[in-house]
Amino acid sequence: MSDLAIDQQIAMFLALCRTATLATVDRAGLPCAANIQYASDEAFRLVWVSSAKSAHSLNLHDQPQSAMTIYSHQDQPEMIHGLQMRGTAQALSADDAAHAIDLYTCKYPFVAQPPYRDALAKQSVYRFTPSWLRWIDNRRGFGFKRELTI
């Protein structure tokens, strides 16, 4: 399978899935995980909104290196497919956040409506930029995977 075909599968997968698990490390060096609802762009970067006071946001402020996983929820092992990613995440400036909010509200249109719109305005916007990813796809055979360094 060509890298282009893998890229297209990953892009479609990211567009269809809604929840990712974000892995961070706290100040004491302890691992933390949080589920987030995300939107993605053509470079496989994930954006989400969250309180700047949440544990994962505070962790990212101190240590931007992080990881993400996104999987389809399948009961049959031969249908499991998903992503594992490593990269960095950070809160976006107001200028950079505008495009991220557009991506987010395009995927989740209800967020642009009251009362969610008002709550959204009080949140910080984050972006995860992957440097490495592993695409796992048991539909192509048990243990099928492709790794990409971005």
Side-chain angles (χ1 to χ4, degrees):
M1 171 177 285
S2 73
D3 285 344
L4 179 59
I6 295 284
D7 286 357
Q8 291 170 338
Q9 279 190 340
I10 293 169
M12 287 189 327
F13 178 77
L14 288 171
L16 290 172
C17 291
R18 300 173 74 79
T19 305
T21 300
L22 168 66
T24 61
V25 177
D26 70 13
R27 287 184 176 178
L30 298 172
C32 301
N35 290 334
I36 58 163
Q37 284 193 310
Y38 71 89
S40 58
D41 67 11
E42 63 282 347
F44 307 139
R45 295 179 297 193
L46 277 57
V47 298
W48 70 94
V49 295
S50 188
S51 167
K53 295 178 183 179
S54 66
H56 59 272
S57 299
L58 294 170
N59 293 345
L60 291 173
H61 178 74
D62 292 338
Q63 174 54 266
Q65 289 185 320
S66 49
M68 293 268 199
T69 61
I70 307 167
Y71 283 91
S72 66
H73 300 286
Q74 303 289 333
D75 290 333
Q76 300 140 340
E78 66 274 7
M79 296 303 291
I80 293 171
H81 57 288
L83 283 173
Q84 299 170 349
M85 300 183 285
R86 281 187 230 131
T88 57
Q90 64 185 25
L92 298 179
S93 68
D95 291 339
D96 290 336
H99 176 66
I101 291 293
D102 287 346
L103 286 172
Y104 197 78
T105 56
C106 184
K107 188 167 184 174
Y108 307 103
F110 71 90
V111 176
Q113 305 300 319
Y116 301 103
R117 180 183 60 217
D118 299 332
L120 180 65
K122 297 175 185 172
Q123 303 297 310
S124 294
V125 181
Y126 294 83
R127 179 174 57 220
F128 174 83
T129 303
S131 57
W132 171 89
L133 61 83
R134 177 183 291 140
W135 173 246
I136 296 169
D137 193 346
N138 284 358
R139 299 170 302 177
R140 300 190 163 281
F142 184 76
F144 175 91
K145 62 184 150 200
R146 289 288 189 271
E147 293 182 3
L148 303 169
T149 301
I150 300 175

